[in-house]
Amino acid sequence: MAIERTFSMIKPDATKRNLTGAITKILEDAGLRVVASKRVWMSKREAEGFYAVHKDRPFFGELVETMTSGPTIVQVLEGENAILKNREVMGATNPANADEGTIRKTHALSIGENSVHGSDGPETAAQEIKYWFSDTEIVG
Ligand code: RTP
Ligand code: MG
């Protein structure tokens, strides 16, 4: 299996509860390496652009509001099968359905405040990494 990169965010509900280190440790323990990381308080415009794929969904307004309610940690993770591995470690979107030991089962508050984001495929990973990082900010 080739080494892949994926995009990850530690969402405002988690940074507000000082869980940046705890969540990063779960990712690292799963074999993922943080090759880029920064803390951003995203603007409404940045959140709307990032989540444009969801713009017609009923939860879009709530999603943008939640994502602009505090700081987010944006990260690039690298490792074998990183995209799928990150999705497994995150757990289901709704923490009520997430498996034991996943980030969302352990830390998420609700479907809206679900602590993390992770790219869902190779194309979105490339797109999302590019949305937040320039090439020189990623150090493998
Ligand atoms: P993510 O994109 O954040 O990694 O999460 P995901 O793939 O598991 O979920 P997705 O369907 O892409 O939805 C993006 C985010 O929108 C919020 N959401 N709220 N209130 C609702 O019914 C609802 N549905 C989705 C969640 O915070 C989800 O992570
Ligand atoms: Mg998604």
Side-chain angles (χ1 to χ4, degrees):
M1 171 55 69
I3 299 291
E4 269 179 352
R5 283 180 178 172
T6 191
F7 175 74
S8 165
M9 296 196 295
I10 302 174
K11 296 185 178 184
D13 73 88
T15 64
K16 284 176 198 165
R17 288 177 289 146
N18 211 18
L19 293 171
T20 299
I23 289 173
T24 302
K25 176 157 170 50
I26 298 174
L27 297 170
E28 290 179 339
D29 286 348
L32 295 162
R33 181 178 298 273
V34 180
V35 295
S37 184
K38 61 188 173 190
R39 185 170 161 103
V40 299
W41 192 320
M42 62 177 80
S43 66
K44 187 162 185 269
R45 199 191 167 120
E46 283 173 321
E48 286 171 347
F50 182 75
Y51 281 115
V53 67
H54 294 311
K55 70 179 182 334
D56 296 325
R57 308 281 287 276
F59 58 80
F60 186 66
E62 193 187 316
L63 176 60
V64 169
E65 199 171 307
T66 307
M67 293 305 298
T68 54
S69 69
T72 291
I73 311 293
V74 292
Q75 296 178 318
V76 180
L77 306 177
E78 186 178 84
E80 270 184 28
N81 215 5
I83 298 169
L84 192 63
K85 188 176 281 178
N86 183 39
R87 296 288 295 186
E88 283 171 3
V89 175
M90 285 163 56
T93 309
N94 185 342
N97 302 328
D99 289 340
E100 282 304 325
T102 61
I103 294 169
R104 283 168 169 167
K105 180 70 176 188
T106 309
H107 294 298
L109 302 172
S110 64
I111 189 164
E113 294 187 303
N114 60 358
S115 304
V116 281
H117 162 88
S119 307
D120 57 16
E123 275 147 43
T124 49
Q127 222 172 59
E128 291 175 356
I129 289 170
K130 214 170 165 190
Y131 192 88
W132 292 107
F133 291 99
S134 63
D135 287 349
T136 54
E137 289 178 301
I138 305 168
V139 182

